[in-house]
Amino acid sequence: MDKVRIRGIEAYGYHGVYAEERALGQTLVVDVEVGCELRQAGLSDDIHDSISYVDLVKMVKEVVSETQFQLLEAIAETIAARVLDVPRAQNVVVRVEKPRAPIPHLTGTVSIEIVRQKG
């Protein structure tokens, strides 16, 4: 299956289990990979036969910036559901990363990844 892949969508939101995270907010980084048929887009050279990168980025930014969740899993599920509403989308992989999670001794990032498909 063909794919539209976007890596490194940064958006600021107020998410987390701890009240401080929800009050101060933080930047999350989201990757989206959408399985779809792209042959017609390749032949027609018409954006209407593809899935718009711009629309996907806007969708992710809206979920992260305009909603509030405790868990990264809930953010990923919401993004996946919105992406699968796009007519050409057949499946989606969503990874949500929290670069500066407030966990003692953690110098890296935490992330979750989900895979969902239509139906």
Side-chain angles (χ1 to χ4, degrees):
M1 180 167 290
D2 304 327
K3 297 176 183 176
V4 172
R5 184 179 296 142
I6 303 174
R7 294 186 178 144
I9 303 167
E10 290 189 357
Y12 199 85
Y14 298 87
H15 311 283
V17 172
Y18 301 110
E20 299 83 24
E21 292 180 284
R22 292 189 306 277
L24 298 173
Q26 61 203 294
T27 299
L28 300 181
V29 180
V30 180
D31 300 335
V32 177
E33 181 178 294
V34 185
C36 54
E37 173 59 55
L38 295 174
R39 182 184 310 267
Q40 185 57 39
L43 296 171
S44 70
D45 195 27
D46 186 337
I47 188 63
H48 296 99
D49 292 327
S50 189
I51 295 176
S52 167
Y53 312 140
V54 173
D55 291 347
L56 290 174
V57 171
K58 181 180 174 187
M59 206 178 290
V60 168
K61 187 177 179 318
E62 286 173 357
V63 171
V64 173
S65 300
E66 298 176 11
T67 57
Q68 191 173 42
F69 298 100
Q70 289 188 45
L71 302 179
L72 298 180
E73 293 87 340
I75 297 167
E77 284 290 345
T78 302
I79 291 169
R82 298 253 328 252
V83 171
L84 289 175
D85 281 342
V86 174
R88 284 180 170 61
Q90 295 301 309
N91 59 58
V92 64
V93 178
V94 179
R95 183 191 316 136
V96 181
E97 180 178 298
K98 187 182 284 193
R100 289 168 288 285
I103 301 171
H105 312 291
L106 176 68
T107 59
T109 64
V110 297
S111 67
I112 60 94
E113 180 175 291
I114 64 169
V115 180
R116 300 293 180 264
Q117 52 189 341
K118 276 197 174 156

